[in-house]
Short mmCIF file of all heavy atoms in Angstrom, two decimals:
data_model
loop_
_atom_site.label_atom_id
_atom_site.label_comp_id
_atom_site.label_asym_id
_atom_site.label_seq_id
_atom_site.Cartn_x
_atom_site.Cartn_y
_atom_site.Cartn_z
N GLY A 156 12.40 11.14 5.84
CA GLY A 156 11.70 10.30 6.76
C GLY A 156 11.90 8.84 6.42
O GLY A 156 12.62 8.48 5.50
N GLN A 157 11.25 8.00 7.15
CA GLN A 157 11.34 6.56 6.96
C GLN A 157 10.13 6.05 6.20
O GLN A 157 9.03 6.60 6.28
CB GLN A 157 11.40 5.86 8.31
CG GLN A 157 12.65 6.18 9.09
CD GLN A 157 12.66 5.41 10.40
OE1 GLN A 157 11.76 4.66 10.71
NE2 GLN A 157 13.69 5.60 11.18
N LEU A 158 10.34 4.97 5.47
CA LEU A 158 9.23 4.31 4.80
C LEU A 158 8.45 3.51 5.83
O LEU A 158 9.02 2.97 6.78
CB LEU A 158 9.75 3.37 3.72
CG LEU A 158 10.45 4.04 2.55
CD1 LEU A 158 11.05 2.98 1.63
CD2 LEU A 158 9.49 4.92 1.78
N PRO A 159 7.12 3.40 5.66
CA PRO A 159 6.34 2.60 6.60
C PRO A 159 6.67 1.12 6.45
O PRO A 159 6.98 0.64 5.36
CB PRO A 159 4.89 2.88 6.19
CG PRO A 159 4.97 3.35 4.78
CD PRO A 159 6.31 4.00 4.61
N LEU A 160 6.63 0.39 7.54
CA LEU A 160 6.90 -1.03 7.53
C LEU A 160 5.60 -1.81 7.56
O LEU A 160 4.68 -1.46 8.31
CB LEU A 160 7.76 -1.42 8.74
CG LEU A 160 9.15 -0.81 8.78
CD1 LEU A 160 9.84 -1.17 10.09
CD2 LEU A 160 9.97 -1.30 7.59
N PRO A 161 5.50 -2.88 6.78
CA PRO A 161 4.29 -3.71 6.84
C PRO A 161 4.23 -4.46 8.16
O PRO A 161 5.25 -4.76 8.76
CB PRO A 161 4.46 -4.67 5.66
CG PRO A 161 5.90 -4.64 5.31
CD PRO A 161 6.46 -3.33 5.79
N ALA A 162 3.01 -4.74 8.58
CA ALA A 162 2.80 -5.48 9.83
C ALA A 162 1.73 -6.54 9.60
O ALA A 162 0.80 -6.35 8.82
CB ALA A 162 2.36 -4.53 10.94
N ARG A 163 1.87 -7.66 10.29
CA ARG A 163 0.84 -8.71 10.24
C ARG A 163 -0.35 -8.26 11.06
O ARG A 163 -0.23 -7.75 12.15
CB ARG A 163 1.38 -10.01 10.82
CG ARG A 163 2.33 -10.72 9.93
CD ARG A 163 1.58 -11.58 8.98
NE ARG A 163 2.52 -12.36 8.18
CZ ARG A 163 2.14 -13.17 7.25
NH1 ARG A 163 0.87 -13.33 6.99
NH2 ARG A 163 3.03 -13.84 6.55
N ASN A 164 -1.53 -8.46 10.49
CA ASN A 164 -2.78 -8.12 11.15
C ASN A 164 -3.70 -9.32 10.95
O ASN A 164 -4.45 -9.37 9.99
CB ASN A 164 -3.37 -6.84 10.54
CG ASN A 164 -4.64 -6.39 11.21
OD1 ASN A 164 -5.02 -6.94 12.24
ND2 ASN A 164 -5.30 -5.43 10.63
N GLY A 165 -3.60 -10.31 11.85
CA GLY A 165 -4.32 -11.56 11.64
C GLY A 165 -3.75 -12.26 10.43
O GLY A 165 -2.56 -12.49 10.33
N GLY A 166 -4.60 -12.57 9.45
CA GLY A 166 -4.16 -13.20 8.22
C GLY A 166 -3.85 -12.22 7.12
O GLY A 166 -3.76 -12.59 5.96
N ASP A 167 -3.71 -10.95 7.46
CA ASP A 167 -3.48 -9.91 6.47
C ASP A 167 -2.13 -9.22 6.69
O ASP A 167 -1.56 -9.27 7.78
CB ASP A 167 -4.57 -8.83 6.55
CG ASP A 167 -5.95 -9.37 6.22
OD1 ASP A 167 -6.05 -10.33 5.45
OD2 ASP A 167 -6.93 -8.83 6.75
N LEU A 168 -1.66 -8.57 5.65
CA LEU A 168 -0.46 -7.74 5.73
C LEU A 168 -0.93 -6.29 5.56
O LEU A 168 -1.60 -5.96 4.58
CB LEU A 168 0.52 -8.12 4.63
CG LEU A 168 1.89 -7.49 4.69
CD1 LEU A 168 2.62 -7.95 5.94
CD2 LEU A 168 2.69 -7.85 3.46
N THR A 169 -0.60 -5.43 6.51
CA THR A 169 -1.11 -4.06 6.52
C THR A 169 0.04 -3.06 6.58
O THR A 169 0.99 -3.25 7.32
CB THR A 169 -2.04 -3.85 7.74
OG1 THR A 169 -3.12 -4.78 7.65
CG2 THR A 169 -2.61 -2.45 7.76
N VAL A 170 -0.11 -1.99 5.79
CA VAL A 170 0.81 -0.86 5.84
C VAL A 170 -0.01 0.37 6.20
O VAL A 170 -1.01 0.67 5.55
CB VAL A 170 1.54 -0.65 4.49
CG1 VAL A 170 2.40 0.59 4.54
CG2 VAL A 170 2.37 -1.87 4.14
N VAL A 171 0.41 1.05 7.26
CA VAL A 171 -0.30 2.24 7.75
C VAL A 171 0.69 3.40 7.81
O VAL A 171 1.79 3.24 8.32
CB VAL A 171 -0.89 2.00 9.17
CG1 VAL A 171 -1.59 3.24 9.68
CG2 VAL A 171 -1.83 0.81 9.17
N PHE A 172 0.28 4.56 7.30
CA PHE A 172 1.10 5.76 7.43
C PHE A 172 0.23 6.99 7.34
O PHE A 172 -0.89 6.94 6.82
CB PHE A 172 2.22 5.80 6.37
CG PHE A 172 1.71 5.87 4.95
CD1 PHE A 172 1.52 7.08 4.31
CD2 PHE A 172 1.45 4.70 4.26
CE1 PHE A 172 1.07 7.14 3.01
CE2 PHE A 172 1.00 4.74 2.95
CZ PHE A 172 0.81 5.97 2.32
N ASN A 173 0.73 8.08 7.89
CA ASN A 173 0.04 9.37 7.83
C ASN A 173 0.69 10.24 6.77
O ASN A 173 1.92 10.29 6.65
CB ASN A 173 0.09 10.09 9.17
CG ASN A 173 -0.80 9.45 10.20
OD1 ASN A 173 -1.88 8.96 9.87
ND2 ASN A 173 -0.36 9.40 11.43
N GLN A 174 -0.15 10.93 6.01
CA GLN A 174 0.36 11.89 5.04
C GLN A 174 0.98 13.05 5.81
O GLN A 174 0.38 13.56 6.76
CB GLN A 174 -0.78 12.40 4.17
CG GLN A 174 -0.36 13.38 3.11
CD GLN A 174 -1.49 13.66 2.14
OE1 GLN A 174 -2.23 12.77 1.78
NE2 GLN A 174 -1.62 14.91 1.74
N PRO A 175 2.19 13.45 5.46
CA PRO A 175 2.81 14.57 6.17
C PRO A 175 1.94 15.83 6.09
O PRO A 175 1.32 16.10 5.06
CB PRO A 175 4.13 14.78 5.42
CG PRO A 175 4.42 13.45 4.79
CD PRO A 175 3.08 12.89 4.43
N ALA A 176 1.89 16.57 7.18
CA ALA A 176 1.02 17.75 7.27
C ALA A 176 1.35 18.80 6.21
O ALA A 176 0.47 19.50 5.74
CB ALA A 176 1.12 18.36 8.67
N HIS A 177 2.60 18.90 5.82
CA HIS A 177 3.01 19.92 4.86
C HIS A 177 2.86 19.48 3.40
O HIS A 177 3.19 20.22 2.49
CB HIS A 177 4.46 20.34 5.12
CG HIS A 177 5.44 19.23 4.92
ND1 HIS A 177 5.63 18.23 5.85
CD2 HIS A 177 6.25 18.93 3.88
CE1 HIS A 177 6.54 17.38 5.40
NE2 HIS A 177 6.93 17.78 4.20
N VAL A 178 2.33 18.25 3.17
CA VAL A 178 2.18 17.72 1.81
C VAL A 178 0.72 17.77 1.40
O VAL A 178 -0.16 17.34 2.13
CB VAL A 178 2.69 16.26 1.74
CG1 VAL A 178 2.39 15.64 0.39
CG2 VAL A 178 4.18 16.21 2.04
N SER A 179 0.47 18.33 0.21
CA SER A 179 -0.89 18.35 -0.33
C SER A 179 -0.82 18.11 -1.83
O SER A 179 0.25 18.20 -2.43
CB SER A 179 -1.57 19.68 -0.02
OG SER A 179 -0.89 20.74 -0.66
N GLY A 180 -1.95 17.81 -2.43
CA GLY A 180 -2.01 17.62 -3.87
C GLY A 180 -1.38 16.34 -4.37
O GLY A 180 -0.94 16.28 -5.51
N VAL A 181 -1.33 15.31 -3.53
CA VAL A 181 -0.80 14.02 -3.96
C VAL A 181 -1.83 12.92 -3.71
O VAL A 181 -2.67 13.02 -2.83
CB VAL A 181 0.53 13.65 -3.25
CG1 VAL A 181 1.63 14.62 -3.60
CG2 VAL A 181 0.34 13.56 -1.76
N ALA A 182 -1.74 11.87 -4.52
CA ALA A 182 -2.59 10.69 -4.36
C ALA A 182 -1.71 9.49 -4.06
O ALA A 182 -0.64 9.34 -4.66
CB ALA A 182 -3.40 10.45 -5.63
N TYR A 183 -2.13 8.67 -3.13
CA TYR A 183 -1.40 7.47 -2.75
C TYR A 183 -2.18 6.26 -3.25
O TYR A 183 -3.38 6.14 -3.00
CB TYR A 183 -1.25 7.38 -1.23
CG TYR A 183 -0.44 8.49 -0.64
CD1 TYR A 183 -1.02 9.68 -0.23
CD2 TYR A 183 0.94 8.36 -0.48
CE1 TYR A 183 -0.27 10.71 0.31
CE2 TYR A 183 1.70 9.38 0.08
CZ TYR A 183 1.08 10.55 0.47
OH TYR A 183 1.83 11.56 1.01
N GLU A 184 -1.49 5.36 -3.94
CA GLU A 184 -2.09 4.12 -4.41
C GLU A 184 -1.14 2.98 -4.06
O GLU A 184 0.07 3.18 -3.96
CB GLU A 184 -2.28 4.14 -5.92
CG GLU A 184 -3.23 5.20 -6.43
CD GLU A 184 -3.28 5.19 -7.94
OE1 GLU A 184 -3.86 4.23 -8.50
OE2 GLU A 184 -2.74 6.12 -8.55
N ALA A 185 -1.72 1.78 -3.92
CA ALA A 185 -0.90 0.59 -3.67
C ALA A 185 -1.40 -0.55 -4.55
O ALA A 185 -2.58 -0.59 -4.92
CB ALA A 185 -0.98 0.18 -2.20
N GLU A 186 -0.48 -1.44 -4.88
CA GLU A 186 -0.80 -2.64 -5.64
C GLU A 186 -0.04 -3.81 -5.01
O GLU A 186 0.99 -3.62 -4.39
CB GLU A 186 -0.37 -2.49 -7.10
CG GLU A 186 -1.10 -1.40 -7.84
CD GLU A 186 -0.59 -1.22 -9.26
OE1 GLU A 186 0.63 -1.35 -9.49
OE2 GLU A 186 -1.43 -0.97 -10.13
N TRP A 187 -0.57 -5.02 -5.19
CA TRP A 187 0.10 -6.18 -4.64
C TRP A 187 0.17 -7.30 -5.68
O TRP A 187 -0.62 -7.34 -6.63
CB TRP A 187 -0.56 -6.67 -3.37
CG TRP A 187 -1.89 -7.35 -3.55
CD1 TRP A 187 -3.10 -6.75 -3.80
CD2 TRP A 187 -2.15 -8.74 -3.49
NE1 TRP A 187 -4.09 -7.68 -3.90
CE2 TRP A 187 -3.53 -8.92 -3.71
CE3 TRP A 187 -1.36 -9.85 -3.27
CZ2 TRP A 187 -4.13 -10.18 -3.72
CZ3 TRP A 187 -1.97 -11.10 -3.28
CH2 TRP A 187 -3.33 -11.25 -3.50
N SER A 188 1.14 -8.19 -5.48
CA SER A 188 1.37 -9.30 -6.39
C SER A 188 2.03 -10.43 -5.62
O SER A 188 2.70 -10.19 -4.62
CB SER A 188 2.28 -8.85 -7.54
OG SER A 188 2.71 -9.95 -8.31
N THR A 189 1.86 -11.65 -6.10
CA THR A 189 2.58 -12.79 -5.51
C THR A 189 3.74 -13.24 -6.39
O THR A 189 4.48 -14.14 -6.02
CB THR A 189 1.64 -13.99 -5.27
OG1 THR A 189 1.04 -14.35 -6.52
CG2 THR A 189 0.56 -13.64 -4.26
N SER A 190 3.91 -12.58 -7.57
CA SER A 190 4.94 -13.06 -8.48
C SER A 190 5.84 -11.98 -9.09
O SER A 190 6.84 -12.32 -9.70
CB SER A 190 4.28 -13.82 -9.63
OG SER A 190 3.57 -12.92 -10.47
N LEU A 191 5.49 -10.74 -8.99
CA LEU A 191 6.20 -9.62 -9.62
C LEU A 191 6.04 -9.59 -11.14
O LEU A 191 6.63 -8.74 -11.80
CB LEU A 191 7.68 -9.60 -9.26
CG LEU A 191 8.05 -9.30 -7.81
CD1 LEU A 191 9.55 -9.42 -7.62
CD2 LEU A 191 7.58 -7.92 -7.41
N ALA A 192 5.26 -10.49 -11.71
CA ALA A 192 5.02 -10.46 -13.15
C ALA A 192 4.30 -9.16 -13.51
O ALA A 192 3.44 -8.69 -12.75
CB ALA A 192 4.18 -11.66 -13.59
N PRO A 193 4.64 -8.55 -14.65
CA PRO A 193 4.06 -7.24 -15.00
C PRO A 193 2.53 -7.20 -14.99
O PRO A 193 1.96 -6.19 -14.62
CB PRO A 193 4.61 -6.98 -16.40
CG PRO A 193 5.87 -7.75 -16.46
CD PRO A 193 5.63 -8.98 -15.63
N THR A 194 1.87 -8.28 -15.36
CA THR A 194 0.40 -8.27 -15.41
C THR A 194 -0.25 -8.84 -14.16
O THR A 194 -1.47 -9.03 -14.12
CB THR A 194 -0.09 -9.05 -16.64
OG1 THR A 194 0.39 -10.41 -16.54
CG2 THR A 194 0.39 -8.42 -17.93
N SER A 195 0.52 -9.12 -13.12
CA SER A 195 -0.02 -9.76 -11.92
C SER A 195 -0.44 -8.78 -10.82
O SER A 195 -0.99 -9.20 -9.81
CB SER A 195 1.02 -10.73 -11.34
OG SER A 195 2.11 -10.01 -10.79
N TRP A 196 -0.19 -7.50 -11.00
CA TRP A 196 -0.44 -6.53 -9.93
C TRP A 196 -1.93 -6.23 -9.79
O TRP A 196 -2.62 -5.98 -10.76
CB TRP A 196 0.33 -5.25 -10.20
CG TRP A 196 1.80 -5.47 -10.08
CD1 TRP A 196 2.67 -5.74 -11.10
CD2 TRP A 196 2.57 -5.49 -8.88
NE1 TRP A 196 3.94 -5.92 -10.61
CE2 TRP A 196 3.90 -5.77 -9.23
CE3 TRP A 196 2.26 -5.30 -7.54
CZ2 TRP A 196 4.92 -5.87 -8.30
CZ3 TRP A 196 3.28 -5.40 -6.61
CH2 TRP A 196 4.59 -5.67 -6.99
N LEU A 197 -2.41 -6.27 -8.54
CA LEU A 197 -3.81 -6.00 -8.22
C LEU A 197 -3.90 -4.78 -7.32
O LEU A 197 -3.05 -4.58 -6.45
CB LEU A 197 -4.42 -7.21 -7.50
CG LEU A 197 -4.41 -8.51 -8.30
CD1 LEU A 197 -4.80 -9.68 -7.40
CD2 LEU A 197 -5.34 -8.40 -9.49
N PRO A 198 -4.95 -3.96 -7.49
CA PRO A 198 -5.07 -2.76 -6.65
C PRO A 198 -5.40 -3.11 -5.20
O PRO A 198 -6.05 -4.11 -4.91
CB PRO A 198 -6.22 -1.99 -7.29
CG PRO A 198 -7.00 -3.01 -8.05
CD PRO A 198 -6.02 -4.08 -8.46
N VAL A 199 -4.93 -2.26 -4.30
CA VAL A 199 -5.22 -2.38 -2.86
C VAL A 199 -6.02 -1.15 -2.46
O VAL A 199 -5.53 -0.02 -2.63
CB VAL A 199 -3.92 -2.44 -2.02
CG1 VAL A 199 -4.25 -2.58 -0.55
CG2 VAL A 199 -3.01 -3.56 -2.49
N PRO A 200 -7.23 -1.31 -1.94
CA PRO A 200 -7.99 -0.13 -1.53
C PRO A 200 -7.36 0.57 -0.33
O PRO A 200 -6.78 -0.08 0.55
CB PRO A 200 -9.38 -0.68 -1.18
CG PRO A 200 -9.18 -2.14 -0.97
CD PRO A 200 -7.95 -2.55 -1.73
N ASP A 201 -7.48 1.88 -0.31
CA ASP A 201 -7.03 2.68 0.83
C ASP A 201 -8.22 2.84 1.75
O ASP A 201 -9.19 3.53 1.43
CB ASP A 201 -6.53 4.04 0.34
CG ASP A 201 -5.96 4.91 1.46
OD1 ASP A 201 -6.08 4.52 2.64
OD2 ASP A 201 -5.41 5.97 1.14
N THR A 202 -8.18 2.19 2.92
CA THR A 202 -9.30 2.23 3.85
C THR A 202 -9.11 3.24 4.98
O THR A 202 -9.91 3.30 5.90
CB THR A 202 -9.55 0.84 4.46
OG1 THR A 202 -8.36 0.40 5.12
CG2 THR A 202 -9.93 -0.16 3.37
N GLY A 203 -8.06 4.04 4.89
CA GLY A 203 -7.81 5.05 5.91
C GLY A 203 -8.66 6.29 5.69
O GLY A 203 -9.31 6.47 4.67
N VAL A 204 -8.68 7.13 6.71
CA VAL A 204 -9.38 8.42 6.66
C VAL A 204 -8.31 9.50 6.77
O VAL A 204 -7.49 9.47 7.69
CB VAL A 204 -10.40 8.53 7.82
CG1 VAL A 204 -11.05 9.90 7.82
CG2 VAL A 204 -11.44 7.44 7.72
N HIS A 205 -8.31 10.42 5.81
CA HIS A 205 -7.29 11.46 5.73
C HIS A 205 -7.01 12.08 7.09
O HIS A 205 -7.95 12.38 7.80
CB HIS A 205 -7.73 12.55 4.75
CG HIS A 205 -6.70 13.61 4.54
ND1 HIS A 205 -5.58 13.39 3.78
CD2 HIS A 205 -6.61 14.87 5.01
CE1 HIS A 205 -4.85 14.49 3.78
NE2 HIS A 205 -5.45 15.39 4.52
N PRO A 206 -5.78 12.19 7.50
CA PRO A 206 -4.53 12.06 6.77
C PRO A 206 -3.91 10.66 6.83
O PRO A 206 -2.81 10.46 6.33
CB PRO A 206 -3.62 13.07 7.47
CG PRO A 206 -4.03 12.98 8.90
CD PRO A 206 -5.54 12.77 8.84
N GLN A 207 -4.63 9.69 7.43
CA GLN A 207 -4.07 8.35 7.56
C GLN A 207 -4.41 7.50 6.33
O GLN A 207 -5.53 7.58 5.80
CB GLN A 207 -4.60 7.66 8.81
CG GLN A 207 -3.93 6.33 9.09
CD GLN A 207 -4.43 5.72 10.37
OE1 GLN A 207 -5.62 5.43 10.50
NE2 GLN A 207 -3.53 5.51 11.32
N HIS A 208 -3.45 6.69 5.90
CA HIS A 208 -3.65 5.77 4.79
C HIS A 208 -3.42 4.36 5.32
O HIS A 208 -2.44 4.11 6.03
CB HIS A 208 -2.68 6.07 3.65
CG HIS A 208 -2.88 7.43 3.07
ND1 HIS A 208 -3.82 7.70 2.11
CD2 HIS A 208 -2.28 8.61 3.34
CE1 HIS A 208 -3.78 8.99 1.79
NE2 HIS A 208 -2.85 9.56 2.54
N ILE A 209 -4.34 3.45 4.97
CA ILE A 209 -4.24 2.06 5.40
C ILE A 209 -4.44 1.17 4.19
O ILE A 209 -5.47 1.23 3.52
CB ILE A 209 -5.30 1.72 6.47
CG1 ILE A 209 -5.18 2.65 7.68
CG2 ILE A 209 -5.18 0.25 6.89
CD1 ILE A 209 -6.31 2.51 8.68
N PHE A 210 -3.43 0.35 3.89
CA PHE A 210 -3.48 -0.58 2.77
C PHE A 210 -3.31 -1.99 3.33
O PHE A 210 -2.33 -2.28 4.02
CB PHE A 210 -2.37 -0.28 1.77
CG PHE A 210 -2.51 1.07 1.11
CD1 PHE A 210 -1.81 2.16 1.59
CD2 PHE A 210 -3.35 1.25 0.02
CE1 PHE A 210 -1.92 3.41 1.00
CE2 PHE A 210 -3.47 2.49 -0.58
CZ PHE A 210 -2.77 3.57 -0.10
N THR A 211 -4.28 -2.88 3.04
CA THR A 211 -4.27 -4.24 3.58
C THR A 211 -4.46 -5.25 2.47
O THR A 211 -5.34 -5.10 1.63
CB THR A 211 -5.40 -4.40 4.62
OG1 THR A 211 -5.21 -3.42 5.65
CG2 THR A 211 -5.39 -5.78 5.24
N VAL A 212 -3.64 -6.30 2.48
CA VAL A 212 -3.76 -7.39 1.51
C VAL A 212 -3.81 -8.72 2.25
O VAL A 212 -3.26 -8.86 3.35
CB VAL A 212 -2.59 -7.39 0.49
CG1 VAL A 212 -2.62 -6.15 -0.35
CG2 VAL A 212 -1.26 -7.54 1.17
N PRO A 213 -4.48 -9.72 1.66
CA PRO A 213 -4.55 -11.03 2.32
C PRO A 213 -3.21 -11.75 2.21
O PRO A 213 -2.67 -11.93 1.13
CB PRO A 213 -5.63 -11.76 1.52
CG PRO A 213 -5.63 -11.10 0.18
CD PRO A 213 -5.24 -9.68 0.42
N ALA A 214 -2.66 -12.14 3.34
CA ALA A 214 -1.38 -12.84 3.36
C ALA A 214 -1.55 -14.34 3.51
O ALA A 214 -0.65 -15.10 3.15
CB ALA A 214 -0.51 -12.29 4.49
N THR A 215 -2.68 -14.78 4.00
CA THR A 215 -2.91 -16.20 4.24
C THR A 215 -2.84 -16.97 2.93
O THR A 215 -3.46 -16.59 1.94
CB THR A 215 -4.28 -16.42 4.90
OG1 THR A 215 -4.33 -15.67 6.11
CG2 THR A 215 -4.53 -17.88 5.19
N GLY A 216 -2.06 -18.04 2.93
CA GLY A 216 -1.95 -18.89 1.76
C GLY A 216 -0.94 -18.43 0.72
O GLY A 216 -0.72 -19.11 -0.27
N ASN A 217 -0.34 -17.28 0.92
CA ASN A 217 0.66 -16.77 -0.01
C ASN A 217 2.05 -17.00 0.57
O ASN A 217 2.35 -16.53 1.65
CB ASN A 217 0.45 -15.27 -0.28
CG ASN A 217 -0.85 -15.01 -1.00
OD1 ASN A 217 -1.18 -15.67 -1.97
ND2 ASN A 217 -1.60 -14.03 -0.54
N THR A 218 2.90 -17.73 -0.17
CA THR A 218 4.25 -17.98 0.32
C THR A 218 5.16 -16.78 0.11
O THR A 218 6.16 -16.64 0.79
CB THR A 218 4.87 -19.21 -0.38
OG1 THR A 218 4.84 -18.99 -1.79
CG2 THR A 218 4.10 -20.47 -0.03
N GLN A 219 4.80 -15.92 -0.85
CA GLN A 219 5.51 -14.65 -1.03
C GLN A 219 4.50 -13.60 -1.43
O GLN A 219 3.49 -13.90 -2.06
CB GLN A 219 6.63 -14.77 -2.06
CG GLN A 219 6.18 -15.20 -3.43
CD GLN A 219 7.36 -15.39 -4.37
OE1 GLN A 219 8.51 -15.37 -3.95
NE2 GLN A 219 7.09 -15.56 -5.64
N LEU A 220 4.78 -12.38 -1.04
CA LEU A 220 3.84 -11.28 -1.27
C LEU A 220 4.63 -10.01 -1.46
O LEU A 220 5.54 -9.71 -0.69
CB LEU A 220 2.92 -11.15 -0.06
CG LEU A 220 1.81 -10.14 -0.13
CD1 LEU A 220 0.80 -10.52 -1.20
CD2 LEU A 220 1.09 -10.08 1.20
N PHE A 221 4.29 -9.25 -2.50
CA PHE A 221 4.96 -7.99 -2.81
C PHE A 221 3.93 -6.88 -2.86
O PHE A 221 2.81 -7.08 -3.33
CB PHE A 221 5.67 -8.08 -4.16
CG PHE A 221 6.61 -9.25 -4.26
CD1 PHE A 221 6.20 -10.45 -4.81
CD2 PHE A 221 7.91 -9.13 -3.78
CE1 PHE A 221 7.07 -11.52 -4.90
CE2 PHE A 221 8.78 -10.21 -3.87
CZ PHE A 221 8.36 -11.40 -4.43
N MET A 222 4.30 -5.71 -2.36
CA MET A 222 3.43 -4.54 -2.41
C MET A 222 4.25 -3.38 -2.93
O MET A 222 5.41 -3.22 -2.56
CB MET A 222 2.85 -4.21 -1.03
CG MET A 222 1.79 -3.13 -1.06
SD MET A 222 1.16 -2.64 0.58
CE MET A 222 0.33 -4.12 1.10
N ARG A 223 3.64 -2.60 -3.82
CA ARG A 223 4.31 -1.41 -4.31
C ARG A 223 3.36 -0.23 -4.18
O ARG A 223 2.14 -0.39 -4.20
CB ARG A 223 4.79 -1.59 -5.75
CG ARG A 223 3.68 -1.69 -6.79
CD ARG A 223 4.26 -1.92 -8.16
NE ARG A 223 3.21 -2.04 -9.16
CZ ARG A 223 3.41 -2.36 -10.43
NH1 ARG A 223 4.65 -2.62 -10.85
NH2 ARG A 223 2.41 -2.45 -11.28
N PHE A 224 3.96 0.95 -4.06
CA PHE A 224 3.18 2.17 -3.89
C PHE A 224 3.42 3.12 -5.05
O PHE A 224 4.52 3.19 -5.59
CB PHE A 224 3.56 2.85 -2.57
CG PHE A 224 3.13 2.06 -1.38
CD1 PHE A 224 3.99 1.12 -0.82
CD2 PHE A 224 1.89 2.22 -0.84
CE1 PHE A 224 3.60 0.36 0.26
CE2 PHE A 224 1.48 1.46 0.25
CZ PHE A 224 2.34 0.53 0.80
N LYS A 225 2.37 3.83 -5.39
CA LYS A 225 2.46 4.87 -6.40
C LYS A 225 2.02 6.18 -5.75
O LYS A 225 0.96 6.25 -5.13
CB LYS A 225 1.53 4.57 -7.58
CG LYS A 225 1.89 3.33 -8.34
CD LYS A 225 0.91 3.14 -9.49
CE LYS A 225 1.25 1.92 -10.30
NZ LYS A 225 0.32 1.74 -11.43
N ILE A 226 2.85 7.18 -5.87
CA ILE A 226 2.53 8.50 -5.34
C ILE A 226 2.58 9.45 -6.52
O ILE A 226 3.59 9.56 -7.21
CB ILE A 226 3.52 8.92 -4.25
CG1 ILE A 226 3.50 7.88 -3.12
CG2 ILE A 226 3.18 10.31 -3.71
CD1 ILE A 226 4.58 8.02 -2.12
N SER A 227 1.46 10.12 -6.77
CA SER A 227 1.36 10.96 -7.95
C SER A 227 0.56 12.22 -7.64
O SER A 227 -0.15 12.27 -6.61
CB SER A 227 0.71 10.21 -9.10
OG SER A 227 -0.58 9.75 -8.72
N PRO A 228 0.61 13.23 -8.48
CA PRO A 228 -0.20 14.43 -8.27
C PRO A 228 -1.69 14.06 -8.32
O PRO A 228 -2.09 13.26 -9.17
CB PRO A 228 0.16 15.35 -9.43
CG PRO A 228 1.43 14.82 -9.98
CD PRO A 228 1.46 13.36 -9.66
N SER A 229 -2.46 14.56 -7.39
CA SER A 229 -3.90 14.29 -7.43
C SER A 229 -4.55 15.20 -8.47
O SER A 229 -4.11 16.32 -8.70
CB SER A 229 -4.54 14.50 -6.06
OG SER A 229 -4.35 15.81 -5.61
N LEU A 230 -5.56 14.67 -9.10
CA LEU A 230 -6.24 15.43 -10.16
C LEU A 230 -7.48 16.09 -9.65
O LEU A 230 -8.11 15.76 -8.77
CB LEU A 230 -6.58 14.49 -11.32
CG LEU A 230 -5.37 13.77 -11.92
CD1 LEU A 230 -5.84 12.79 -12.98
CD2 LEU A 230 -4.40 14.75 -12.52
#
């Protein structure tokens, strides 16, 4: 499949995707940074309702913004 693309939502950057129906037992997490420095990453809350995941970060005032995702087995 394709990776979800970020979209502008007012002054925020949002990534929305649905968990595939055949996938279970995984946890989705996101982090964001303005510099890519190892200690600069901040968590992004998932505000979606299963099976949808919504990750939003403030884009206003940031000249560059990076987001990374972690997909791991859920405990």
Side-chain angles (χ1 to χ4, degrees):
Q157 295 182 1
L158 294 174
L160 296 174
R163 286 274 185 182
N164 182 8
D167 297 331
L168 189 64
T169 301
V170 175
V171 179
F172 63 92
N173 288 324
Q174 181 170 321
H177 64 282
V178 173
S179 63
V181 296
Y183 296 89
E184 297 177 71
E186 296 177 323
W187 73 283
S188 170
T189 58
S190 69
L191 293 176
T194 59
S195 70
W196 293 95
L197 299 170
V199 181
D201 184 352
T202 58
V204 176
H205 184 75
Q207 187 177 61
H208 298 276
I209 303 172
F210 296 97
T211 302
V212 296
T215 303
N217 294 314
T218 56
Q219 59 184 9
L220 184 65
F221 305 95
M222 188 184 293
R223 68 182 179 186
F224 292 91
K225 296 180 179 181
I226 302 169
S227 58
S229 59
L230 303 175

